[in-house]
Amino acid sequence: MPSKSGVARATGTLVALSLATAVLASAPVNAAQVDAPSAAAVAAVAATADVERPQGKPEPLKTEGAGKSTFSGAAAAQSAAAPITRSAVIARAKTWVDAKVPYSMNNYRDGYRTDCSGLVSMAWNLGTSAWTGNLDTFADRISKNDLRKGDMLLFHNPSNPERGSHVTIFEQWTDASHTSYIGIEQTPPNAVRRVIPYAYFNNASSYIPYRYKNIIEDATPTNAGVYRSDEAKFYVADRSGGLYGWSGFGVPGDKPLTGDWNADGQDTFGVYRPGDSTFHLSNDNGTTAISVMYGSPGDVPLVGDWDGNGTDTIGVYHPADQTFYLSNDNRVAAYSVRMGVEGDTPMTGDWNGDGKDTVGVYRGSDQTFYLTDSQTSAPVNHQVKFGNPGDTPIKGDWNGDGTDKIGVYRDSDFFGAGKDSDQVIYSVRFGVPGDTPLTGQW
C-alpha cells in the first residue's frame, strides 16, 4: 500500500481530496526489517544451508522442564489446536527467533521440541510436537500462488526422514516476482527469520506448500473510500479519514467494486460495465486480472466470498424478481436466492462472522436493513433500522471483529453501526457530494 497522505479539508461540508499522493500498490517488504541479500550472499548461505537437522518423532507436549512460556500479546497461548489467526502464527514463531532458541531434537521450549517441525507445531499451536512425516495431516496442500503468512513449505525426504527433511514457515513475498520470501525456521544453530529463495536454498523442487487446517484470517477494520465516476478514479481513506491513496481504473460510467480477488487479505478495485454486463477486476489497482461477462442488462453487480475460501467472487441481483445469483468461480451461479421486494437495494456481507458472505436488502422506504445468514433461502436473521431517508446503504467490519455490520453514507459522511444495532461505532467524512461510497480493507 502507499504511504499515508494527508487530506486538505475545505470549510463547510466539502472535503477536498488531494491528488498529490502515490497510486495504490502492493507494499514491498520493509528493507529495515529484513534486508534482501545479494546474489553472492544467497549463494554463500546456500552452500551452508544443506545441513543435517535431526528431528524427533511425534510426541505430546513436554510438561516438565519445558521452561516458562514466553508468549505474550498476539502470541499468547490458546487452547491447543483451536483456530488461530495468521498474525498469531507469525507472532508465536518470532518468539523463538527473538530468543535465538538453539536447534535441538532433545531440548524443549514452551513444551515443544526445538527442531524444525517443533517450531511449526508451536507456531500453529498444535498441542503436540509433530514431525515432517505427519505435519501434512494437520494441513491442506496449496499452490505457490496461494501462499500467505502462516503457511508452511514442507520437505519430507523418505530416504532420510529424520535427518534429511526440513520445514519452514512462510511469512511474505519480498516482491512481486515471487522468487524469494521471508521465512521463519528452526535451523542450526538457532531459529532465524530471513530471506529465502523460493522454495528453498536446496532441494527447492521438493518443498510443498501447505496451509494449517485451523488457520483463520486476520480481522482488519473496514475503511471508507469513494469512486468518482467522471474521473474513473478510486480514492480510499485511512482510519481517520485522511487520504490513503488513489488509483484510476475502468472508464467513466462503470460501477465500482472492491474485493479480495486473490485471497491475499487486501481489497483491491474492480468495475462492472453495464453496457456489456462485464466485470473487470484488478489485483494491483491498475491492470485487469479478471474480465468476465456475467448476468443480464439491468442487473446490480455484487461481490462476496460465498464459499469461505478467502477469495471474493462475483454475483448479480436481478431487480425484476428480487433474485440473487452468486458465483464461486466467476462463471456460473452456485447459489440462487430470492429476497426482498421491488425497490429494495441489495447487499452482501458476512453478517454472522462465519467467514461466508450472504445476502440482504435495504428498504429505503423505512430505512431498514433485512439480512439473512443463508445462501439457499431468505429467513431474516438480522433486522436493523438505521439512517435517514435518502441515505445510501453501506456495510463493513467497522471494528475488526470479523463480522460485517450495516451503515449509511450521507453527503460525504460515513456512519457505521454496531452488530445488530443502531448505535454508531464508526464515522468519518471523506469525499465530495456526488461520489459513490466504497468500503474495504485496504
Side-chain angles (χ1 to χ4, degrees):
M1 298 297 293
S3 58
K4 294 180 181 179
S5 303
V7 171
R9 294 183 182 275
T11 57
T13 61
L14 298 184
V15 181
L17 294 175
S18 169
L19 300 185
T21 183
V23 174
L24 290 170
S26 298
V29 172
N30 186 341
Q33 296 174 325
V34 177
D35 291 325
S38 64
V42 170
V45 173
T48 60
D50 193 13
V51 298
E52 283 197 348
R53 301 178 177 88
Q55 57 175 323
K57 290 296 185 78
E59 59 186 352
L61 288 183
K62 188 176 179 64
T63 57
E64 295 181 6
K68 185 177 180 180
S69 173
T70 58
F71 298 135
S72 62
Q78 304 166 276
S79 299
I84 187 169
T85 65
R86 295 183 180 279
S87 291
V89 169
I90 298 301
R92 289 170 67 90
K94 284 180 179 178
T95 62
W96 283 20
V97 174
D98 294 341
K100 293 182 168 58
V101 175
Y103 190 99
S104 172
M105 64 177 292
N106 300 312
N107 293 332
Y108 298 81
R109 185 179 182 87
D110 304 307
Y112 292 89
R113 194 178 54 248
T114 57
D115 56 17
C116 62
S117 49
L119 170 62
V120 176
S121 301
M122 178 277 297
W124 284 357
N125 195 30
L126 296 184
T128 182
S129 286
W131 76 305
T132 57
N134 76 334
L135 270 171
D136 63 336
T137 65
F138 296 92
D140 294 316
R141 187 167 177 170
I142 59 175
S143 69
K144 173 186 176 180
N145 292 334
D146 287 333
L147 275 166
R148 299 178 63 187
K149 68 180 180 181
D151 296 336
M152 73 171 174
L153 288 158
L154 175 67
F155 169 40
H156 181 67
N157 182 3
S159 65
N160 190 7
E162 293 184 23
R163 309 184 80 86
S165 305
H166 188 48
V167 62
T168 183
I169 295 174
F170 179 92
E171 184 174 344
Q172 65 183 101
W173 297 110
T174 57
D175 57 43
S177 70
H178 291 189
T179 55
S180 61
Y181 63 97
I182 295 180
I184 301 175
E185 55 182 334
Q186 186 74 358
T187 187
N190 53 256
V192 294
R193 175 177 178 262
R194 59 180 174 177
V195 173
I196 301 173
Y198 188 83
Y200 200 68
F201 297 100
N202 43 63
N203 299 307
S205 62
S206 298
Y207 279 79
I208 299 173
Y210 284 92
R211 176 163 299 153
Y212 179 40
K213 291 179 179 178
N214 283 344
I215 205 162
I216 56 176
E217 301 304 320
D218 297 302
T220 304
T222 297
N223 288 325
V226 296
Y227 179 71
R228 198 155 297 161
S229 181
D230 59 344
E231 300 175 358
K233 285 184 179 177
F234 293 77
Y235 298 88
V236 299
D238 61 19
R239 193 63 181 166
S240 63
L243 182 61
Y244 189 44
W246 65 272
S247 182
F249 185 72
V251 299
D254 285 347
K255 303 296 183 182
L257 308 167
T258 62
D260 184 359
W261 321 121
N262 61 355
D264 67 353
Q266 178 177 304
D267 288 334
T268 46
F269 303 147
V271 296
Y272 174 76
R273 198 153 293 158
D276 57 9
S277 304
T278 302
F279 289 78
H280 301 276
L281 312 177
S282 175
N283 289 331
D284 61 8
N285 297 317
T287 61
T288 299
I290 299 170
S291 183
V292 59
M293 292 182 66
Y294 187 81
S296 305
D299 284 350
V300 179
L302 306 168
V303 300
D305 182 3
W306 321 121
D307 59 3
N309 71 349
T311 302
D312 286 325
T313 47
I314 62 175
V316 294
Y317 174 76
H318 196 51
D321 59 6
Q322 300 85 55
T323 302
F324 293 78
Y325 299 94
L326 314 175
S327 174
N328 286 330
D329 60 7
N330 294 322
R331 293 192 300 270
V332 298
Y335 312 100
S336 173
V337 58
R338 186 171 184 176
M339 185 175 191
V341 299
E342 186 176 357
D344 285 349
T345 300
M347 304 191 66
T348 64
D350 183 3
W351 315 121
N352 64 354
D354 68 352
K356 296 180 180 180
D357 289 329
T358 48
V359 304
V361 296
Y362 171 75
R363 194 157 298 156
S365 60
D366 59 8
Q367 299 88 59
T368 301
F369 293 79
Y370 302 90
L371 315 173
T372 183
D373 294 331
S374 172
Q375 291 169 325
T376 58
S377 60
V380 176
N381 301 114
H382 314 271
Q383 180 176 332
V384 183
K385 185 177 176 65
F386 186 72
N388 296 335
D391 286 348
T392 299
I394 58 176
K395 66 91 188 277
D397 182 3
W398 314 120
N399 59 356
D401 68 357
T403 303
D404 284 326
K405 299 101 178 160
I406 54 94
V408 296
Y409 173 77
R410 182 187 309 149
D411 297 329
S412 303
D413 287 316
F414 290 75
F415 300 99
K419 179 172 168 42
D420 298 330
S421 168
D422 62 358
Q423 299 301 304
V424 175
I425 64 171
Y426 170 78
S427 64
V428 70
R429 171 166 285 195
F430 189 71
V432 298
D435 287 344
T436 301
L438 305 167
T439 60
Q441 296 168 323
W442 323 124

